[in-house]
Each structure stands twice: as structure tokens, then as C-alpha cells.
Amino acid sequence: MSLAEFALIDRILARTTARADVVLGIGDDAALLQPRAGEQLVITTDTLNSGVHFPVETPAYDIGWKTLAVNLSDLAAMGARPAWCTLALSLPDADADWIEAFADGFFALADEHDIVLVGGDTTRGPLSLSVTALGQVAPGQALRRDRAQLGDDIWVSGTLGDAAGALRLWQQNRLKVAVATLLSDDETLRERLLRPIPRVTLGLRLRAYAHAAVDISDGLLSDLGHIAARSGVRAEVEADALPISSALREQLGREGARDCALRGGDDYELCFTVAPSQRDAIHALSASLGLPLTRIGRIVEGEGVHCADADATDGGYQHFSERR
Ligand code: ADP
Ligand code: MG
């Protein structure tokens, strides 16, 4: 079944929910939004291209979920409360079943975070999905990359490397992304690749504690490198402290798991820096969110990201320069 562009937009429109601050949503030439008085707008865009950012055979539901998740993750890393988004869709054909499944994934996450779709664009072309997400934050409260302080602890949420581990298994033909697997370790990793959980609530709560924050989309070393570069400091990471899931260690072994945790992307966990005086507060936050928060290193004078490698022959720090 093939749908004309307008029928397709109607299907998406039927799924959108209301928000009092949307004066005019989908249907006009542009949307009219009413930001909260005195707050700053936070805006971000991320695009996912088929075969580049996800395997071609990825189910439509998961593509819908991930398209929004990566953008919500950017808002989370800024400490912003999500509000509105637009969706630019490039589709090879207007398949009704595909659109419904895509919308199921997209709106499951949108509704959970009270972010509403207010417009977009629909074109024919290679499968590509681009979301622009907007959020709001009070002046001075946003979490930025350039505010890390000397002496800060470095923390990360969740576990690291799972998504990269799933991708590796997929590349080695050991895991299918198109169908759920019955093996629990495989399914854990597969879920982490296909349905990343944007740490929106964590980002909001961290406004009270964190000096700097970034979401991990390209890998810990790379993304923490952005904090180091923009804050003019050096980040020291303790490789043994990295939170690694038992599923990842089972599937890839200690070295493989550690490599995924340091260099793998697509986890969408938050990495943030906090004064050591707030350790108890961060442990309490972890308990109240039911989300592991792990201290993995500290901010010192210097530059770059350095990883204490217990296996290094000189017992010293191994240097990792951040990619640019
Ligand atoms: P225009 O030609 O004025 O750009 P369109 O015909 O492209 O308008 O779109 C009509 C309406 O549908 C607009 O309000 C637009 O924002 C919305 N829209 C189009 N594609 C999408 C989409 N993929 N998701 C959400 N809204 C969309
Ligand atoms: Mg248009």
C-alpha cells in the first residue's frame, strides 16, 4: 500500500498529542510556539541515515524510537526540559505499515517525555530521518561542556559500550538486528543499540550539581575530550572503574568490553563532572532514579583525556587524543 504525501502527513498528525504552549501545530506553513516567560530555548538537530547510522534491516519501530532518542539525549545533556520537535522524513516509498510502526516507536518516546511534534517535511529519497528538538531551561541553569572545574569528579550514567558491542556482534554475524533474540545477553545488547534511553530526568536533576556535561554518542574518550578541550582541563579516567554490563563482558571478554566502553558510540549515557563534596548527593540521586551513576575519574590541570591503564607496562597513563 502506497500513500500520497498528504495521507502520510495525516497519519503522523493523527498520532500527535496536545500541549498548551503549542499555539499552532502541524497544518500551517510553520508552527507557532509560546515559550515560558523568562526561559531560554535549547535547540538541537540530529539526522539518522539508513546504512550509516543504523543497519538497513533495522525495524521501523526502532528507527522511530532512535530518531527521537538521539535528539532527546542532546537536550538531556543540556539539562533542558523537552517541549517541541519537528521531523524531516526522506522516504524511498510511502509504505503505510512502515509509517505506522515508525510512528509507534517515535511517539512512544515522545509521549513519555511530553515532547510534541509540531511540524516537519516529507520528501521522497533514500531513507533519512532528521529531528529538530526544542527544550527550555532557566537562564544560567543549562549544563555546558565548558564549565568543568579542577578537582571535579567525572561520572557516567548507566553502563558503557553495550551499543558498540551489539554493533560488533552484528558485524560478525553473531547478532541480528531485525528480530529479537531469545538469548538474554544478546537481547540486552540489541536493545541498547536499537532503543537507547535518553537520560532526560537525570539531566534535569543534574542542574543542581554538575559543572559540565555531555552525552556519549561518539564514545567516552571522544566525548569527554570535548569537555576537556572546551573547559581547558585534563580528564583522567580509571579504566578499571568503567561500568560494564555483565552481558557485554560475557559476549566480548574483558578487553573487548573495555574497548567498547572507551571508544564505542551510541550509548547515549551522560558523562558529567561534579565537585567531590557532592559525592553523597550523586549517590542519593542514583538511588532515587534507580540508575547507576559511577565515578570514573577526575579533572586535573592539563589537556586531553588520559586513561589509567593497569595493564600498561610502565604502569602509567595511556594518552588518548580526542578526535576532531
Ligand atoms: P509547506 O509546503 O508549506 O512546507 P508541507 O505541505 O510540506 O507544507 O507540510 C504541510 C504541513 O505538514 C506543515 O505544517 C508541515 O510542518 C507538516 N509536515 C510535513 N511533513 C511532516 C512530518 N514528516 N512530520 C510532521 N509534520 C509534517
Ligand atoms: Mg514543506
Side-chain angles (χ1 to χ4, degrees), residues 26-323:
I26 292 174
D28 213 307
D29 293 311
L32 276 177
L33 309 171
Q34 185 59 63
R36 225 178 291 165
E39 296 217 337
Q40 293 176 335
L41 284 177
V42 184
I43 180 164
T44 183
T45 300
D46 255 320
T47 300
L48 299 185
N49 293 328
S50 180
V52 179
H53 299 101
F54 55 84
V56 175
E57 65 268 31
T58 303
Y61 183 101
D62 298 319
I63 295 173
W65 176 281
K66 192 161 182 174
T67 298
L68 184 59
V70 300
N71 282 277
L72 284 173
S73 178
D74 280 326
L75 292 184
M78 297 300 293
R81 188 176 295 284
W84 317 289
C85 62
T86 62
L87 168 66
L89 275 176
S90 164
L91 296 173
D93 48 49
D95 179 79
D97 292 338
W98 192 94
I99 277 294
E100 290 297 338
F102 172 88
D104 285 344
F106 187 96
F107 289 106
L109 193 57
D111 295 348
E112 184 181 328
H113 292 285
D114 195 25
I115 186 169
V116 297
L117 184 68
V118 297
D121 196 27
T122 307
T123 56
R124 190 177 288 265
L127 182 59
S128 171
L129 315 108
S130 185
V131 164
T132 295
L134 294 105
Q136 301 173 98
V137 71
Q141 289 220 332
L143 302 173
R144 307 165 47 138
R145 296 176 173 183
D146 60 0
R147 294 287 196 268
Q149 310 274 308
L150 295 179
D152 276 358
D153 291 327
I154 302 167
W155 297 77
V156 292
S157 62
T159 55
L160 299 182
D162 296 324
L167 207 55
R168 252 183 225 190
L169 294 175
W170 172 74
Q171 283 159 345
Q172 297 167 1
N173 265 323
R174 290 165 61 192
L175 185 136
K176 291 190 177 11
V177 299
V179 288
T181 154
L182 292 175
L183 302 171
S184 64
D185 281 349
D186 285 2
E187 187 55 18
T188 302
L189 299 181
R190 182 179 169 278
E191 281 251 352
R192 294 273 291 156
L193 175 66
L194 298 183
R195 297 194 199 161
I197 298 173
R199 303 302 185 187
V200 175
T201 310
L202 173 62
L204 292 171
R205 300 281 294 275
L206 282 177
R207 292 177 304 186
Y209 309 108
H211 288 147
V214 69
D215 71 322
I216 305 176
S217 53
D218 296 330
L220 174 68
L221 294 176
S222 174
D223 289 313
L224 181 54
H226 297 313
I227 288 185
R230 300 211 33 138
S231 297
V233 296
R234 161 173 159 133
E236 285 184 348
V237 173
E238 207 61 60
D240 287 327
L242 297 172
I244 289 173
S245 70
S246 56
L248 187 65
R249 194 173 284 118
E250 278 298 311
Q251 293 299 312
L252 294 188
R254 183 172 175 271
E255 283 313 303
R258 179 177 288 186
D259 192 58
C260 285
L262 286 171
R263 293 184 189 77
D266 267 1
D267 280 324
Y268 299 98
E269 296 295 347
L270 295 187
C271 175
F272 52 96
T273 82
V274 184
S277 57
Q278 302 290 342
R279 280 179 194 170
D280 288 348
I282 301 300
H283 287 303
L285 180 57
S286 170
S288 95
L289 295 176
L291 174 68
L293 300 176
T294 308
R295 190 156 51 83
I296 60 161
R298 61 194 192 111
I299 297 292
V300 298
E301 256 178 87
E303 59 180 38
V305 181
H306 302 254
C307 187
D309 186 350
D311 300 332
T313 45
D314 60 0
Y317 280 95
Q318 193 177 337
H319 176 78
F320 297 95
S321 58
E322 61 274 17
R323 275 174 280 158

